[in-house]
Amino acid sequence: MKSLFFTDPHLGKVLHSHTTPSSRERLTNSLHQQVMALLSAREDCDHAFCLGDLFDRFSNKENILAQGYVVLDNLNICMAGNHDLIADAKDTSSLQFLSSFLEGSSPVVLEPFSYEEDKYTVHFVPHCINQKAFDDAVYKVKPSKGKVNILCLHCNYNSDFATQEISLNLTKEGAKFLLEEKGFDYILIGHEHNAAVHFGGKLIILGNTHPTSFHDISDKFVWVYDSNKKSFEKEQIYHADQRLWRLSVDDFMTGDFPDK
């Protein structure tokens, strides 16, 4: 049995600086097309999980809601990220609206939840209101006995810049405790857009599915868990060196662009 994990599609992302109306539209379409392509191309996977930030904004227009609905219809679980929930608590976010619209068939996870399979359990801790709530939720999760346990979070990892109370952060020491003392086999993290691996592959920062700004133009991956092998394999879905042009001013002025 195989399960697909990805994160941070950021549907509806709009960039205004250094863009044109047509380039903004292309980005909006590309974000949706990328996530649908990665889902349709992996028919051998029995499950599909998104680790947060399905949407880029708390509230979205109808066309973006429609994109989100189609993605949710192809997922087993989509947990809420910070972009999916941050706003006035009295308002309903796009993700919450679609969850209520889908009712009993909704894959949306707004509270900690464990997804049980015969050989493994996937534990989801979605975005929390502050660091204390996050720590309380994470350390309350109990691994299932006799199974591989995968803990999915939406937070920063070991970040010196996560200094605000609402900037959720899992420290290196915290990760070590969860892996070595609590008994989790893997920790998967959404929120950070550039992929990375720590603890010998036991902690995986998934990275987002498509660049959304200059700072996250990097190779992009999805991660597939094989329950028979009890391990993850990454599959590259975006090649930065094939999509990014690095030009000098002279090259730009003369129109000497790479042939890509």
Side-chain angles (χ1 to χ4, degrees):
M1 183 176 290
K2 293 183 178 181
S3 296
L4 174 70
F5 291 82
F6 67 96
T7 192
D8 290 65
H10 284 273
L11 300 180
K13 178 74 176 181
V14 176
L15 296 174
H16 292 286
S17 298
H18 312 297
T19 65
T20 65
S22 62
S23 69
R24 291 194 289 272
E25 183 179 0
R26 287 197 299 272
L27 174 61
T28 299
N29 293 335
S30 293
L31 293 171
H32 182 240
Q33 291 165 0
Q34 179 80 319
V35 70
M36 291 308 301
L38 69 88
L39 287 167
S40 63
R42 286 153 186 85
E43 296 180 352
D44 60 329
C45 289
D46 303 280
H47 306 93
F49 304 117
C50 176
L51 270 63
D53 286 354
L54 176 66
F55 294 107
D56 187 67
R57 295 183 176 187
F58 179 83
S59 181
N60 295 273
K61 295 181 179 180
E62 289 82 355
N63 63 317
I64 304 303
L65 284 173
Q67 290 182 355
Y69 177 87
V70 174
V71 174
L72 288 175
D73 194 44
N74 286 272
L75 297 178
N76 295 89
I77 294 291
C78 179
M79 73 176 189
N82 58 305
H83 282 253
D84 298 312
L85 290 180
I86 286 183
D88 192 319
K90 295 180 292 184
D91 294 333
T92 299
S93 72
S94 292
L95 188 67
Q96 291 168 316
F97 168 76
L98 289 178
S99 179
S100 62
F101 182 77
L102 291 165
E103 296 181 339
S105 61
S106 173
V108 176
V109 168
L110 302 173
E111 301 290 339
F113 175 77
S114 294
Y115 190 95
E116 299 277 354
E117 285 294 330
D118 290 340
K119 295 181 180 180
Y120 65 99
T121 302
V122 188
H123 307 272
F124 296 91
V125 179
H127 177 73
C128 298
I129 192 170
N130 55 40
Q131 184 69 44
K132 182 180 184 306
F134 174 74
D135 289 338
D136 289 345
V138 170
Y139 295 110
K140 282 181 181 177
V141 179
K142 295 182 180 180
S144 301
K145 294 182 179 179
K147 295 183 178 182
V148 172
N149 287 272
I150 303 168
L151 178 62
C152 295
L153 310 174
H154 191 90
C155 63
N156 297 287
Y157 174 65
N158 206 39
S159 174
D160 294 330
F161 301 99
T163 55
Q164 299 182 19
E165 187 62 18
I166 60 172
S167 301
L168 310 184
N169 186 48
L170 177 67
T171 65
K172 183 177 180 180
E173 294 74 20
K176 183 177 181 180
F177 173 79
L178 290 168
L179 291 168
E180 298 181 2
E181 302 296 329
K182 287 279 286 186
F184 289 101
D185 297 279
Y186 293 97
I187 299 173
L188 306 186
I189 295 179
H191 180 62
E192 296 189 10
H193 286 190
N194 294 310
V197 175
H198 302 274
F199 289 96
K202 295 296 184 180
L203 186 149
I204 303 172
I205 299 172
L206 302 183
N208 60 345
T209 56
H210 190 287
T212 57
S213 67
F214 286 113
H215 90 278
D216 67 354
I217 297 177
S218 59
D219 292 339
K220 304 300 179 185
F221 309 91
V222 294
W223 304 77
V224 177
Y225 177 73
D226 189 323
S227 63
N228 293 321
K229 298 179 180 179
K230 297 182 179 181
S231 63
F232 278 91
E233 293 183 358
K234 67 178 181 180
E235 299 181 10
Q236 191 164 351
I237 59 172
Y238 181 96
H239 297 260
D241 61 348
Q242 296 177 8
R243 305 292 295 274
L244 175 65
W245 289 348
R246 299 183 185 275
L247 305 174
S248 68
V249 174
D250 290 339
D251 290 338
F252 181 80
M253 295 302 293
T254 59
D256 186 15
F257 300 159
D259 183 16
K260 289 188 178 182

